[in-house]
Amino acid sequence: MNLVVLQNWLDNASFAILFLTMLVYWGGAAFPNLPYLAALGTAGMAIANLCIATLLGARWIEAGYFPLSNLYESLFFLTWGITAVHLIAENSSRSRLVGVATAPVAMAITAFATMTLPSQMQASEPLVPALKSNWLMMHVSVMMLSYSALMVGSLLAIAFLIVTRGQNIQLQGSSVGTGGYRSNGYRLHKATELISQPSAPSAENNGFSRFETSSNGNGNGNTAVLNLVTTPESPAVASTELLSPQRLSLAETLDNISYRIIGLGFPLLTIGIIAGGVWANEAWGSYWSWDPKETWALITWLVFAAYLHARITRGWQGRRPAILASAGLLVVWVCYLGVNLLGKGLHSYGWFF
């Protein structure tokens, strides 16, 4: 079979599968009582992942080099990485909301590569001299995998903000380090039940008091709320957050898995930057040239280093690190695509304006 025809078929098939998968995940979120939709969405992501892997393999055989030399190939490699990380995150969290966030992004990237890029940019071409190196596979593939992991982690942080409605709630510890496994100040109870004011909240609760009441088991008044009671140092005002137990449990899961996925992507980003420096010295005689791509890679590294530092050392959880990770998503996109769109540099082989 003609490998070019196979590639054309696979890129269109990948887009169609991801589009249907996105609809399945959104349908599952709208109708949670249909359990088979979750398995169908996971199957769609796995099939799309295999289609893209086959496309990249066919392109590798046809061109004779690792398929990461132009924007079309890197977009599909990025989508493959996102779908792979998605499957890991979904298997860990057991939540279909992961696909609600990641499926449309994967579909949009595939649509951009397949339908927007001109045909000459989709065709395989001989490598430019700077790319004729074994470092192509080492540096670029690791950077793309790091982008994939950081994007998925940031998307889950955005999903966390949506689930919690941007409220500043304290979660059970998912961070490691100072304050990481502290006892936090909330417990769920029925809105119709009374609670008593605690005598003295402990310091490890960080200013919140924890309550919990039992359920009557009669099925009435089962709406749960989250009560946060301030410490004696603050005005004694109780604020009620309308979060169901399911929503709160989902928020904890999203916060945890977002942190762990970003924790996977950050070392990959570090390795990729180091490998890029070694390759740059081999190709251009300098480890660091403050090229726009290099500068934004450093900015990306600093943003997610700050995120991990805040979680591990400062014990941040919940809204503040989620906002930082959400900003990181924009930084990653500027580093990956925005630099290529807005300016030229030593990495200008991907520039197409």
Side-chain angles (χ1 to χ4, degrees), residues 25 32 35 37-39 42 85-100 156 246 249-254 256-258 261:
Y25 275 115
L37 288 180
T42 303
V85 175
H86 161 90
L87 294 172
I88 296 172
E90 189 174 62
N91 181 68
S92 301
S93 65
R94 304 293 182 183
S95 172
R96 72 181 65 181
L97 193 61
V98 175
V100 174
L156 295 180
Q246 295 80 8
S249 175
L250 179 58
E252 288 188 335
T253 300
L254 289 173
N256 194 341
I257 198 66
S258 172
I261 293 297

Side-chain angles (χ1 to χ4, degrees), residues 1-39:
M1 184 177 181
N2 191 317
L3 291 179
V4 175
V5 175
L6 177 63
Q7 293 169 36
N8 292 335
W9 185 87
L10 286 173
D11 61 6
N12 287 284
S14 301
F15 165 73
I17 292 170
L18 287 170
F19 179 74
L20 294 175
T21 302
M22 178 189 70
L23 296 180
V24 168
Y25 275 115
W26 285 3
F31 304 99
N33 294 327
L34 300 176
Y36 65 88
L37 288 180

Side-chain angles (χ1 to χ4, degrees), residues 100-119:
V100 174
T102 58
V105 174
M107 185 275 296
I109 295 173
T110 306
F112 177 71
T114 305
M115 303 177 183
T116 304
L117 294 181
S119 57

Side-chain angles (χ1 to χ4, degrees), residues 197-203 206-209 229-237:
Q197 181 74 16
S199 56
S202 63
N206 292 327
F208 294 92
S209 301
V229 179
T230 57
T231 60
E233 290 80 6
S234 304
V237 178

Side-chain angles (χ1 to χ4, degrees), residues 204-246:
E204 81 171 328
N205 282 352
N206 292 327
F208 294 92
S209 301
R210 186 183 280 274
F211 310 97
E212 186 174 27
T213 59
S214 61
S215 176
N216 294 332
N218 55 9
N220 298 323
N222 283 331
T223 300
V225 296
L226 174 65
N227 272 44
L228 301 178
V229 179
T230 57
T231 60
E233 290 80 6
S234 304
V237 178
S239 62
T240 302
E241 307 289 352
L242 301 177
L243 294 178
S244 67
Q246 295 80 8

